[in-house]
């Protein structure tokens, strides 16, 4: 007998593919909770960078602590909706609420680096599984269909060429008021993050075997959302 599929949508894919916007729209349409796993990696990266500055220890040293996984699992992490006019949600970690500071390019980079560490992944994966235990979630990230929710009923993997993803990111930064953007550096960072996320040993970025693949290079956000919703509706639980 095959295992029971869960009322969970997973949306994985590389940086800059539009996962966040699309996942939030899908969650709204289905009245599901939106679970942004990338923000959790970013929040932990932010905390580690802060502790690193305060203690002078390297991130590697900090995560070597025997109790690190327990500490991460015990973290009070809460995903909060975006402030009005902002695109990304915020994260409450302990008493602190983090928002735009998580979106800095360096924080994405550091999140990617620490996400290759077993101690970090096991801590955050357990929290994510707890958050999704009741079902009715749209989980977004790199490994939500492969590792976090392997029994999710609807799995999607979004992709687009690196050039198109870099163009989208540049448009987004311009819309936010940025003037001097080093476009070549941005593309190089995106390619480096792709390489690191796809080639790491643990939970690498890759489509789940049963994921539905969407190449979004030539599609608008609405077209992707409609395709995903159509697929979900034509494959009921
Ligand atoms: O989606 P994002 O750009 O906010 O994610 C930041 C980094 O966090 C990403 O480069 C890799 C890591 N990440 C991960 O390893 N697994 C996830 N499920 C989500 C993010």
């Amino acid at each position: 007998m095959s295992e029971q599929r869960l009322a969970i949508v997973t949306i994985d894919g590389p940086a800059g593919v539009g996962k966040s916007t699309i996942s939030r729209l899908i969650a709204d349409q289905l009245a599901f909770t939106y679970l942004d796993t990338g923000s959790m990696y970013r929040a932990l990266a932010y905390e580690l960078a802060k502790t690193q500055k305060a203690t002078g220890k390297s991130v590697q040293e900090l995560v070597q602590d025997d109790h690190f996984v327990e500490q991460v699992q015990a973290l009070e992490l809460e995903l909060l909706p975006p402030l009005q006019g902002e695109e990304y949600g915020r994260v409450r970690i302990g008493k602190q609420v983090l928002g735009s500071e998580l979106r800095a390019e360096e924080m994405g980079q550091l999140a990617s680096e620490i996400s290759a560490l077993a101690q970090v992944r096991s801590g955050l994966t357990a929290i994510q599984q707890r958050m999704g235990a009741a079902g009715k979630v749209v989980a977004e990230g790199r490994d939500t269909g492969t590792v976090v929710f392997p029994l999710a009923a609807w799995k999607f993997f979004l992709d687009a060429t690196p050039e198109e993803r870099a163009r989208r990111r540049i448009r987004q930064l311009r819309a936010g008021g940025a003037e001097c953007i080093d476009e070549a550096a941005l593309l190089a960072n995106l390619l480096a993050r792709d390489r690191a996320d796809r080639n790491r040993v643990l939970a690498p970025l890759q489509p789940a075997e049963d994921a539905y693949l969407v190449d979004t290079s030539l599609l608008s956000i609405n077209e992707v959302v409609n395709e995903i919703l159509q697929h979900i509706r034509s494959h009921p639980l």
Side-chain angles (χ1 to χ4, degrees):
M1 202 174 79
S2 69
E3 284 178 281
Q4 176 82 44
R5 298 187 320 148
L6 305 176
I8 293 177
V9 180
T10 61
I11 301 185
D12 290 314
V17 78
K19 296 188 300 290
S20 301
T21 312
I22 290 163
S23 301
R24 190 169 298 114
L25 289 167
I26 300 286
D28 284 350
Q29 288 286 326
L30 299 175
F32 279 18
T33 304
Y34 169 48
L35 178 50
D36 172 6
T37 62
S39 286
M40 298 166 76
Y41 283 90
R42 286 171 184 261
L44 190 60
Y46 183 89
E47 277 301 300
L48 282 174
K50 215 171 71 179
T51 315
Q52 199 185 5
K53 272 197 201 116
T55 62
K57 289 189 179 169
S58 70
V59 168
Q60 284 289 349
E61 277 174 317
L62 291 172
V63 301
Q64 291 304 319
D65 188 316
D66 280 351
H67 301 301
F68 181 78
V69 174
E70 285 162 40
Q71 283 169 10
V72 174
Q73 283 187 15
L75 273 180
E76 262 189 69
L77 270 180
E78 186 186 4
L79 297 174
L80 302 171
L83 292 175
Q84 193 146 32
E86 287 195 357
E87 189 174 346
Y88 293 98
R90 293 157 300 147
V91 181
R92 186 176 65 76
I93 183 162
K95 289 191 176 133
Q96 222 184 154
V97 174
L98 304 171
S100 55
E101 53 275 74
L102 297 180
R103 297 295 135 200
E105 211 54 44
E106 316 83 72
M107 222 29 83
Q109 207 62 45
L110 185 58
S112 174
E113 277 168 41
I114 64 159
S115 72
L117 303 171
Q119 301 92 316
V120 169
R121 294 214 78 82
S122 61
L124 288 187
T125 299
I127 297 180
Q128 291 155 12
Q129 288 173 334
R130 271 203 310 273
M131 285 175 159
K136 294 202 166 190
V137 297
V138 175
E140 179 232 311
R142 302 290 186 287
D143 64 340
T144 64
T146 48
V147 174
V148 186
F149 299 117
L151 295 179
W154 305 285
K155 299 181 185 179
F156 298 89
F157 190 89
L158 309 184
D159 215 342
T161 61
E163 291 73 18
E164 176 56 25
R165 289 185 281 128
R167 270 196 293 277
R168 289 175 187 170
R169 180 82 184 121
I170 290 162
R171 272 203 300 273
Q172 201 180 32
L173 289 170
R174 291 228 167 89
E179 283 168 10
C180 309
I181 302 169
D182 184 342
E183 299 188 8
L186 193 141
L187 178 61
N189 283 343
L190 190 129
L191 288 169
R193 188 129 74 94
D194 274 5
R195 244 191 328 271
D197 290 349
R198 286 185 205 269
N199 294 323
R200 67 179 177 224
V201 177
L202 292 170
L205 168 66
Q206 62 183 9
E209 265 174 31
D210 48 349
Y212 179 86
L213 309 186
V214 186
D215 182 345
T216 73
S217 302
L218 300 175
L219 301 178
S220 68
I221 295 282
N222 277 343
E223 285 171 324
V224 180
V225 169
N226 287 338
E227 191 167 335
I228 290 178
L229 288 174
Q230 220 163 40
H231 183 83
I232 293 173
R233 288 182 180 132
S234 56
H235 294 81
L237 255 192

